[in-house]
Amino acid sequence: MKLWGGRFEKDTDALVEDFHSSIAFDRRLYAQDIEGSIAHAAMLGRAGIITPEEAALITAGLREVREDIAQGRVELETGAEDIHMNVEKLLTERIGEAGKKLHTGRSRNDQVALDLRLFLRGETDRTKELLAALTRVLLALAEEHAETWAPGYTHLQKAQPVSLGHHFMAYVAMFLRDLGRLNDARRRLNYSPLGSGALAGTTFPLRREEVARELGFAGVTPNSLDGVSDRDFALEFLSAAAIIMMHLSRLAEEIILWSSGEFGFITLDDAHATGSSIMPQKKNPDVAELVRGKTGRVYGDLVALLTVMKGLPLAYNKDLQEDKEAVFDAVDTVQKCLLTMAPMLQAMTVRRERLAEEAKKGFMNATDLADYLAKKQVPFREAHAIVGRLVLACAQKGRALEDLPLAELRAASPVFADDVYEAISVEACVRARRVAGGPAPERVREAIRAARAELESLYSPH
Ligand code: ARG
């Protein structure tokens, strides 16, 4: 008989049984479920709601059930619907009558809300750890390449030279904000819904604060209806995960471009690339492509849960059972992507000579040539036009700006002097961009120091 079978006269239809059972996926919450039940039962004992002996029997029995599940020694049954009722059933089979008192003053509605919070708190911490590890890889690359000149792009057209280190630091800035987002989400998530009951709290004198403290929460949720029916903590994780994936996907896209023959800026290590079953010459950036591809899944997880939530009247509705697979999928996807990207970046070879070669092409020093004139009091708009005409002339003859003899430059503007060549070398262009947040090597090194300190403070354990 079902745990809730009292008012029913018929068995559940087999199709319904299969349809509404969540054990196939919520079994993943067994450790959190049991952790919450242990804290609840211990409190019931302390509060005199059940006897201390019963509480001791229940908590010991739950620990054994946890071990049995961990070791795969017990069957979790579809008929028992979900992880909460499976655990209760296993407990009662093991310890008898006392097991039937575990659910005093509690509902599966506050129970599942608790389990998901505990789960996401742990996975938020794990995600932070992986994100921090990836950020450290990028910081090391940035340090190594603070003076590796590289083309910078807008519209995927050569724009102005930067350093590869500066480029990597852009991603560091993104990932540090992602860490901050995870911290924010974790802070708001960290409240215990236990005591909300099914929706209207309970008549038992539960000690909510005590249980919350025991489970490492900062406090208790403030409203019983909200406690069982809100999933915004999960949505916050999913949105942080979606943004992380978006950042990873942009980085992945660059890795894909850079490893192509046309760019040739990096070579992926063999251990992080794959081949083709028909084309013997191929070496493909599958890891980066999969990261880019999997980004859509995580967006989907976020949109799925947002959509589940949008029409739900208070309080609990079974629709909420759909939260879990979205959360699990996003957790697995974002963590696997972070885990795989870091060593791939660490092991790739940067082809400095190719970067240097490309950094010289495409008139990327045109702005600097205009700035040169502007610094000698030619109005910038006029300087822009002068250099534009020089670029046109050079493009027609296949020359670079620095190839123009001084006489030709002076014909365009008498302000040009000998020192112009010095001012428009790739190196000078980058080194001169000393503005805060700019690519000059000393600025990049300063940014690396600041980012390291920020990483420390964002990643300090709770
Ligand atoms: N398996 C359910 C879920 O994931 C647990 C809560 C069920 N509550 C209920 N009243 N049917 O949401």
Side-chain angles (χ1 to χ4, degrees):
M1 176 149 106
K2 295 270 193 289
L3 288 182
W4 41 254
R7 64 99 66 222
F8 286 78
E9 293 181 325
K10 271 191 183 175
D11 283 344
T12 313
D13 183 274
L15 285 173
V16 174
E17 188 110 300
D18 176 63
F19 189 59
H20 88 144
S21 169
S22 53
I23 189 63
F25 49 87
D26 68 12
R27 56 188 308 141
R28 188 162 172 181
L29 296 174
Y30 81 90
Q32 290 80 12
D33 192 71
I34 293 177
E35 187 189 351
S37 288
I38 290 174
H40 177 68
M43 178 274 294
L44 291 179
R46 286 195 303 274
I49 299 168
I50 61 176
T51 68
E53 294 72 32
E54 286 166 337
L57 261 178
I58 292 173
T59 52
L62 283 169
R63 290 195 177 92
E64 287 172 23
V65 170
R66 182 164 58 194
E67 195 52 26
D68 282 350
I69 298 177
Q71 302 300 329
R73 286 196 291 257
V74 286
E75 285 284 317
L76 297 172
E77 296 167 18
T78 309
E81 207 174 310
D82 55 25
I83 188 61
H84 324 296
M85 294 206 294
N86 266 279
V87 168
E88 191 179 324
K89 186 164 165 282
L90 289 167
L91 175 70
T92 304
E93 280 165 12
R94 179 175 290 270
I95 68 167
E97 285 303 297
K100 298 183 185 170
K101 292 200 171 179
L102 167 62
H103 214 47
T104 312
R106 191 178 66 169
S107 156
R108 278 184 294 154
N109 297 352
D110 54 356
Q111 192 178 353
V112 73
L114 173 82
D115 294 2
L116 196 63
R117 281 173 190 261
L118 286 173
F119 175 81
L120 267 177
R121 190 175 67 188
E123 297 305 334
T124 298
D125 289 345
R126 173 70 180 144
T127 307
K128 281 176 56 186
E129 191 181 319
L130 295 170
L131 195 51
L134 173 68
T135 305
R136 272 186 230 105
V137 168
L138 287 165
L139 281 164
L141 281 167
E143 194 149 61
E144 190 182 340
H145 295 291
E147 300 192 21
T148 302
W149 319 129
Y153 298 83
T154 63
H155 313 266
L156 200 53
Q157 306 287 323
K158 286 207 172 79
Q160 291 171 347
V162 292
S163 72
L164 192 61
H166 190 58
H167 198 109
F168 286 132
M169 285 307 289
Y171 285 100
V172 167
M174 297 175 223
F175 291 134
L176 288 177
R177 287 194 297 276
D178 288 332
L179 269 173
R181 266 183 281 275
L182 288 173
N183 281 340
D184 294 345
R186 191 192 195 282
R187 207 173 304 121
R188 273 185 295 277
L189 162 151
N190 204 24
Y191 291 85
S192 170
L194 269 193
S196 301
L199 75 162
T202 173
T203 55
F204 291 98
L206 298 190
R207 300 179 183 174
R208 293 192 67 197
E209 288 283 353
E210 260 178 48
V211 176
R213 254 197 313 277
E214 190 113 334
L215 294 170
F217 289 109
V220 301
T221 53
N223 177 289
S224 64
L225 296 167
D226 176 57
V228 292
S229 63
D230 124 72
R231 293 292 182 271
D232 56 15
F233 64 90
L235 289 168
E236 285 200 50
F237 176 85
L238 290 175
S239 57
I243 295 172
I244 293 169
M245 289 302 301
M246 178 272 291
H247 288 152
L248 283 176
S249 183
R250 295 187 76 174
L251 178 54
E253 169 67 11
E254 301 212 282
I255 296 299
I256 294 162
L257 285 174
W258 292 354
S259 66
S260 69
E262 285 72 9
F263 277 80
F265 294 171
I266 57 161
T267 310
L268 290 175
D269 189 81
D270 278 1
H272 300 272
T274 48
S276 156
S277 60
I278 175 170
M279 298 170 281
Q281 85 284 12
K282 293 281 276 181
K283 179 169 165 184
N284 296 326
D286 286 30
V287 169
E289 290 169 282
L290 276 170
V291 168
R292 189 177 59 187
K294 284 175 187 291
T295 300
R297 298 171 68 111
V298 179
Y299 292 3
D301 296 327
L302 170 62
V303 173
L305 187 56
L306 280 168
T307 312
V308 164
M309 301 303 295
K310 72 180 270 292
L312 296 187
L314 295 183
Y316 180 85
N317 300 268
K318 187 76 171 229
D319 315 45
L320 289 170
Q321 183 165 286
E322 290 294 309
D323 59 0
K324 279 169 278 297
E325 285 166 293
V327 163
F328 295 158
D329 183 67
V331 161
D332 291 342
T333 306
V334 73
Q335 290 183 0
K336 232 179 251 178
C337 290
L338 288 167
L339 193 63
T340 319
M341 278 289 269
M344 181 189 73
L345 294 172
Q346 200 164 26
M348 74 190 180
T349 308
V350 170
R351 297 180 60 196
R352 292 170 199 257
E353 72 304 337
R354 277 285 305 139
L355 283 161
E357 198 179 309
E358 288 302 320
K360 282 194 206 123
K361 295 185 194 161
F363 307 105
M364 285 196 295
N365 50 3
T367 312
D368 298 78
L369 194 60
D371 286 351
Y372 171 94
L373 292 174
K375 280 171 193 159
K376 300 199 174 188
Q377 302 315 316
V378 178
F380 182 77
R381 197 43 64 211
E382 216 170 283
H384 187 290
I386 294 168
V387 175
R389 286 191 292 273
L390 289 171
V391 166
L392 181 64
C394 284
Q396 285 162 349
K397 292 183 194 144
R399 292 197 296 188
L401 288 168
E402 59 272 27
D403 297 337
L404 292 171
L406 190 58
E408 260 177 72
L409 287 173
R410 290 180 66 90
S413 166
V415 172
F416 283 119
D418 264 347
D419 58 352
V420 64
Y421 299 104
E422 175 80 49
I424 62 169
S425 73
V426 173
E427 178 166 347
C429 292
V430 184
R431 287 196 191 281
R433 293 182 145 68
R434 265 177 243 106
V435 68
E442 73 257 39
R443 286 305 193 196
V444 171
R445 293 196 177 101
E446 203 174 277
I448 293 171
R449 279 194 298 277
R452 286 218 160 98
E454 202 186 337
L455 180 59
E456 267 323 283
S457 79
L458 286 169
Y459 186 55
S460 59
H462 293 267

